Amino acid sequence: MVITRRDALNLIGKSTLMLPLGALSMGAGQFSPQIQPFQQPFRIPPVLNPVHSDSTGDYYEITMQQSQVEMLPGLSTKIWGYNGMTPGPTIRAQRGRQSIVRFINNLPESMVIHLHGMASLPQYDGYAEDFVPFGYYKDYIYPNNRAATLWYHDHALHQTSRHVYMGLAGMYIIEDDLELNLPLPKGDYDIPLIIQDKRFDSDGSLIFDDRRQRGLYGDIMLVNGVPYPRMEVANRKYRFRILNAGTSRTCQLQLSTKDDLIIIASDAGLLSAPVRTKNLRIGVAERYEFIIDFSKYPIGTQIVLQNPIFSSNIDSDNRTQQVMRFDVVRQESDDSDIPNTLRPVQIIPVSSAVRARTFRFGRGNQLWQINNRTWDKNRVDANPSVGDVEIWNLVNTGGEWVHPVHIHLVDLQMIDRNGLPPLPYERGWKDVFLVESGQTVRVIAKYGPHAGKYMMHCHNLVHEDHDMMTQFEVGSGGANPITTAKAKPLPVPPF
Ligand code: C2O
Ligand code: CU
Ligand code: CU
């Protein structure tokens, strides 16, 4: 079945909700309360300290729990958060030193925790049916094998969109010496920007309206959990690590001054060289890092980060066209610099591929599908050997839907999109690829280093849940992702 724009509009108008939504409100098609943008101060999620460190690595503990937070001024919002906050605390790790993160589930549903961008063993990758039930915990081992901006989020089968929307997402940053030795802005000038769109009821509760499993589009933009924050900056360079942790919305970011964003990294690490752009397109789960040089602006300048894409069939009003504001408020010296070369990205030669596979992302039987199939943990749709280089053709069969396709385990490179070169800032290591209606995106990767079963899916979380997800198996004999390291009941033992 092909969905036309007219169908989409009809479906949106009739959306109803019959799901067991727990803490979520149901008001379909309703607008959030009006709020004044750029009033609330910008904030940064706290960095989590290890509870223990030894020669094996650093040990962390995170409890998933419900809490009430003030997102909209004067209103209280019930969320599900890592350590009761959303976004969750940021973990900062060093390449080559592993982290052991204990996730404790104090929420009334089974959870799965996935560290997106990490080459984890199958039993620690957050396989969608490797559940951590209420009252259980699981220790996840993360090897931290490359420097990049990752994120951790829920991945429970068919429930991911609701769980992440309720707040279960956080950033995870890995650094290494090469990166730290570059003169890029560091420390207080290295800032996470986790952007999300949400919709609120008049009492502040979150509205989950997935438009009959088509997609969820909020009408309020939040950065690090704050709607349209106002960040006071010095007149110097800053490094921003941006993550689209929304449910379905693709953003196209630009500065109100029409100045350049200087992109230095994509999903899985630094680009070879900085790329200047006035428009940065970022789909769900993509990460980019960019420098803004505020030194050219006089003190008192206000610069809005905008998202001027406006799609009348998904946006109920134009409130998603603004994201946050930077106010240049003080003078500061700046010893940072933007080097001409960052980290050389070694291009995987197309000729090294031993085979190609095609995955068609489309709709059928009232579901989102890959090659006309839905999720089945007993079926494997690709079986590269460890070390094989493969080209995957990611095809969007049409219908005006964008599919941000994510492949677990590996870092990939985009070869082309409909035969045309990727955008300049997409020419680095990535794990999510925007595939628009009718497009074919070719990606290349070397499968490994681990054997085992890993997921690939559309990262529009509503599509993923219903049911645009499949798995591949690297080699044979890999650890069973469900039975190898099962969650254990509380109480937790000491590390
Ligand atoms: Cu960000 Cu399979 O997930
Ligand atoms: Cu992932
Ligand atoms: Cu999709």
Side-chain angles (χ1 to χ4, degrees):
M1 169 182 141
V2 175
I3 295 167
T4 63
R5 181 180 293 275
R6 175 168 310 220
D7 290 332
L9 281 164
N10 286 338
L11 288 162
I12 289 157
K14 289 185 211 133
S15 94
T16 51
L17 284 171
M18 314 277 291
L19 300 168
L21 289 176
L24 289 164
S25 169
M26 311 224 312
Q30 182 180 318
F31 296 162
S32 299
Q34 287 293 337
I35 60 163
Q36 268 296 105
F38 319 130
Q39 302 300 302
Q40 288 176 264
F42 179 78
R43 65 178 170 79
I44 296 172
V47 173
L48 190 66
N49 290 317
V51 294
H52 174 74
S53 289
D54 61 26
S55 55
T56 330
D58 298 309
Y59 296 74
Y60 298 89
E61 201 167 89
I62 293 179
T63 303
M64 295 174 275
Q65 60 197 51
Q66 182 167 303
S67 61
Q68 296 280 343
V69 299
E70 184 177 317
M71 283 182 161
L72 304 186
L75 294 174
S76 172
T77 302
K78 193 179 287 181
I79 60 129
W80 286 357
Y82 294 112
N83 284 349
M85 60 183 93
T86 188
T90 300
I91 292 180
R92 277 190 175 262
Q94 297 304 308
R95 187 168 90 112
R97 187 172 164 75
Q98 71 178 1
S99 313
I100 300 91
V101 188
R102 174 168 290 171
F103 284 95
I104 299 167
N105 187 4
N106 276 346
L107 289 168
E109 295 183 19
S110 289
M111 297 293 164
V112 169
I113 301 92
H114 170 55
L115 178 52
H116 179 134
M118 181 67 73
S120 305
L121 287 166
Q123 65 272 36
Y124 302 122
D125 193 49
Y127 192 77
E129 300 196 47
D130 176 27
F131 294 109
V132 182
F134 167 65
Y136 281 64
Y137 74 97
K138 174 162 172 163
D139 296 344
Y140 289 78
I141 301 174
Y142 300 129
N144 298 327
N145 44 0
R146 59 190 134 3
T149 301
L150 315 186
W151 64 303
Y152 60 99
H153 63 78
D154 186 75
H155 216 305
L157 188 69
H158 304 318
Q159 309 299 336
T160 298
S161 55
R162 196 166 46 85
H163 290 175
V164 174
Y165 187 75
M166 286 288 289
L168 293 170
M171 195 173 269
Y172 188 111
I173 295 169
I174 305 157
E175 293 174 311
D176 69 358
D177 289 342
L178 184 147
E179 190 165 329
L180 287 168
N181 288 330
L182 294 173
L184 296 166
K186 295 182 176 61
D188 292 345
Y189 307 99
D190 174 352
I191 311 275
L193 300 179
I194 300 167
I195 56 173
Q196 294 174 302
D197 55 321
K198 293 190 191 291
R199 196 173 290 267
F200 297 85
D201 215 331
S202 54
D203 64 358
S205 53
L206 286 168
I207 294 173
F208 183 88
D209 175 7
D210 71 0
R211 300 177 177 187
R212 292 190 164 182
Q213 308 185 343
R214 274 7 185 235
L216 183 150
Y217 299 91
D219 59 358
I220 300 242
M221 299 299 283
L222 299 110
V223 181
N224 299 344
V226 180
Y228 314 105
R230 164 182 177 273
M231 180 184 181
E232 297 193 341
V233 296
N235 63 342
R236 53 158 290 151
K237 292 184 277 305
Y238 284 72
R239 171 184 187 165
F240 294 99
R241 300 175 187 256
I242 194 159
L243 156 68
N244 182 344
T247 313
S248 303
R249 181 182 295 279
T250 302
C251 294
Q252 176 119 23
L253 302 173
Q254 60 173 234
L255 297 174
S256 54
T257 54
K258 304 286 183 277
D259 286 318
D260 288 339
L261 300 168
I262 304 159
I263 316 291
I264 57 166
S266 52
D267 304 331
L270 291 171
L271 301 175
S272 293
V275 166
R276 292 174 174 266
T277 184
K278 295 194 192 309
N279 286 288
L280 174 64
R281 199 169 64 139
I282 179 166
V284 178
E286 285 190 294
R287 290 88 67 209
Y288 286 104
E289 299 177 36
F290 55 81
I291 309 280
I292 301 178
D293 186 353
F294 295 105
S295 67
K296 59 182 287 195
Y297 306 115
I299 306 292
T301 308
Q302 300 177 335
I303 301 134
V304 178
L305 183 65
Q306 299 171 326
N307 174 42
I309 276 208
F310 181 72
S311 175
S312 56
N313 68 344
I314 57 173
D315 288 296
S316 44
D317 60 26
N318 62 6
R319 280 189 281 174
T320 56
Q321 292 185 280
Q322 295 180 319
V323 180
M324 65 178 290
R325 195 175 77 195
F326 304 101
D327 290 4
V328 184
V329 297
R330 61 180 187 274
Q331 195 98 34
E332 248 176 53
S333 65
D334 184 359
D335 55 5
S336 70
D337 204 1
I338 308 169
N340 291 327
T341 56
L342 298 162
R343 188 196 304 271
V345 172
Q346 256 196 303
I347 300 296
I348 307 174
V350 169
S351 61
S352 65
V354 296
R355 67 185 72 80
R357 302 179 195 269
T358 298
F359 296 95
R360 298 171 61 81
F361 293 76
R363 187 146 176 102
N365 290 331
Q366 314 282 348
L367 287 166
W368 301 102
Q369 300 176 324
I370 303 173
N371 287 347
N372 302 313
R373 288 160 149 182
T374 54
W375 173 254
D376 176 353
K377 72 172 188 306
N378 298 313
R379 194 189 74 242
V380 165
D381 282 343
N383 184 211
S385 297
V386 177
D388 278 0
V389 173
E390 296 198 348
I391 293 170
W392 287 11
N393 302 301
L394 311 174
V395 182
N396 180 330
T397 61
E400 301 192 20
W401 306 93
V402 180
H403 301 303
V405 175
H406 171 45
I407 300 166
H408 283 227
L409 179 67
V410 288
D411 291 341
L412 306 100
Q413 293 173 359
M414 190 191 307
I415 302 167
D416 51 23
R417 181 185 274 119
N418 277 2
L420 299 171
L423 298 168
Y425 52 79
E426 292 175 318
R427 293 174 203 170
W429 293 106
K430 287 184 60 57
D431 54 40
V432 182
F433 300 91
L434 277 176
V435 190
E436 289 184 283
S437 182
Q439 288 182 342
T440 296
V441 171
R442 287 200 302 158
V443 299
I444 188 166
K446 180 173 183 168
Y447 285 79
H450 310 308
K453 290 178 179 165
Y454 290 91
M455 299 173 287
M456 80 107 120
H457 55 88
C458 176
H459 220 297
N460 174 332
L461 296 175
V462 174
H463 295 185
E464 171 185 335
D465 280 344
H466 313 284
D467 204 12
M468 200 173 247
M469 181 162 82
T470 186
Q471 67 184 336
F472 57 97
E473 180 171 11
V474 181
S476 58
N480 182 309
I482 300 175
T483 58
T484 306
K486 277 179 151 339
K488 299 191 177 101
L490 297 175
V492 296
F495 276 122

